[in-house]
Amino acid sequence: MGVATPQAFRAAPLLAAYAAAAEAGFDGTDTAATFTEFAPAGHEVRAVPSGPGNLKVTFAEDLQVADRLLGRAGSSAAR
């Protein structure tokens, strides 16, 4: 079993967590670690089931994969 991104957060609580982490000198391994430690009350990190279609777009080539998954073969070539 593995953990994959993408991760999604609401902007205001995420920015508050980052500010608190910076003030504390916290150097987390990723956004989820920072949010887990410093999110405002009532916010938490949750894992949700997913599959291979949960694609993280990091490189230009990933857009072509995303287009295929969305049934839009060839559309990213025009970008």
Side-chain angles (χ1 to χ4, degrees), residues 12-78:
L14 178 59
L15 293 173
Y18 276 142
E23 188 174 313
F26 182 78
D27 187 19
T29 56
D30 64 4
T31 301
T34 302
F35 200 79
T36 297
E37 290 293 321
F38 294 97
H43 298 278
E44 64 184 6
V45 172
R46 288 182 274 171
V48 295
S50 186
N54 186 14
L55 174 70
K56 178 178 180 183
V57 176
T58 304
F59 303 103
E61 305 84 58
D62 298 335
L63 291 172
Q64 293 171 345
V65 175
D67 282 338
R68 283 195 301 273
L69 288 170
L70 294 170
R72 301 186 313 211
S75 68
S76 66

